[in-house]
């Protein structure tokens, strides 16, 4: 069974507030399915794609799957749609939890940045998480370890040194 990260529950708590305990208990399968679709976990939103996703990721029978999809079609307009802000917040938290170098505060009190390294498809990205949203500080190309700094960030020398030291440490451990 796949473990659901704790931060993903935030969207479900919003639904609980709107529907109450009776609503969430009565329609938990619809609410969870809505969460899966809103978070983009089921990439193919065609009926066949949804059936395939549910067959691969659950122990539901074909009849249970079609029943769920038919009820979801009827209830979809009543279920909440996740805002862009909520999805961005959940994605941001996901990156923080899945970082290869954990986020930590670097710098003096008036110019601290919450810096962390996240492994992504194209390379390792360093983010500043001290604001409401993650801001990319730099990109590190896999293999060549070339650093592409974002000009919009004003980093102090200790913050730059921290990033370069962590890159050196990752490179020595043959992380990639």
């Amino acid at each position: 069974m796949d473990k659901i990260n704790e931060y993903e529950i935030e969207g479900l708590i919003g639904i609980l507030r709107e529907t109450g305990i009776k609503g969430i208990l009565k329609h938990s399968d619809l609410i969870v399915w809505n969460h899966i679709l809103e978070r983009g976990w089921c990439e193919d939103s065609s009926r066949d794609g949804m059936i395939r996703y549910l067959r691969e990721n659950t122990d539901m029978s074909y009849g249970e799957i079609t029943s769920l999809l038919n009820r979801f079609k009827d209830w979809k307009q009543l279920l909440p749609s996740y805002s862009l802000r909520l999805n961005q917040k959940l994605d941001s938290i996901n990156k923080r939890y899945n970082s290869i170098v954990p986020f930590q505060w670097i710098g003096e009190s008036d110019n601290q940045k919450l810096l962390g390294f996240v492994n992504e498809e194209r390379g390792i990205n360093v983010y500043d998480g001290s604001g409401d949203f993650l801001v990319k500080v730099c990109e590190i190309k896999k293999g060549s370890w070339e650093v592409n700094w974002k000009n919009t960030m004003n980093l102090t020398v200790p913050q730059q040194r921290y990033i370069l030291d962590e890159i050196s440490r990752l490179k020595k451990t043959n992380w990639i």
Side-chain angles (χ1 to χ4, degrees), residues 111 113 128 137 150-157 159-160:
N111 195 14
K113 299 212 182 298
D128 172 15
V137 174
K150 299 298 173 190
N151 293 334
T152 57
M153 290 301 293
N154 293 323
L155 297 174
T156 63
V157 171
Q159 291 165 346
Q160 291 173 349

Side-chain angles (χ1 to χ4, degrees), residues 114-125:
L114 184 61
L115 300 174
F117 292 63
V118 179
N119 183 31
E120 296 182 317
E121 281 183 41
R122 297 182 139 181
I124 299 170
N125 290 323

Side-chain angles (χ1 to χ4, degrees), residues 5-70:
N5 292 320
E6 186 176 322
Y7 57 82
E8 290 291 347
I9 308 249
E10 186 172 331
L12 297 173
I13 289 172
I15 295 171
L16 174 62
R17 285 188 186 115
E18 292 177 24
T19 63
I21 292 175
K22 285 183 183 179
I24 206 164
L25 290 175
K26 186 175 180 180
H27 305 292
S28 61
D29 57 346
L30 294 171
I31 292 168
V32 169
W33 181 240
N34 184 59
H35 183 76
I36 288 169
L37 292 176
E38 288 288 330
R39 293 295 292 137
W41 294 346
C42 176
E43 295 175 0
D44 184 355
S45 61
S46 70
R47 185 168 177 86
D48 289 340
M50 291 189 287
I51 290 170
R52 186 173 34 261
Y53 178 88
L54 288 168
R55 287 196 126 181
E56 292 171 358
N57 294 288
T58 70
D59 58 356
M60 296 172 71
S61 69
Y62 182 77
E64 291 171 323
I65 291 172
T66 56
S67 173
L68 172 66
L69 295 180
N70 290 336

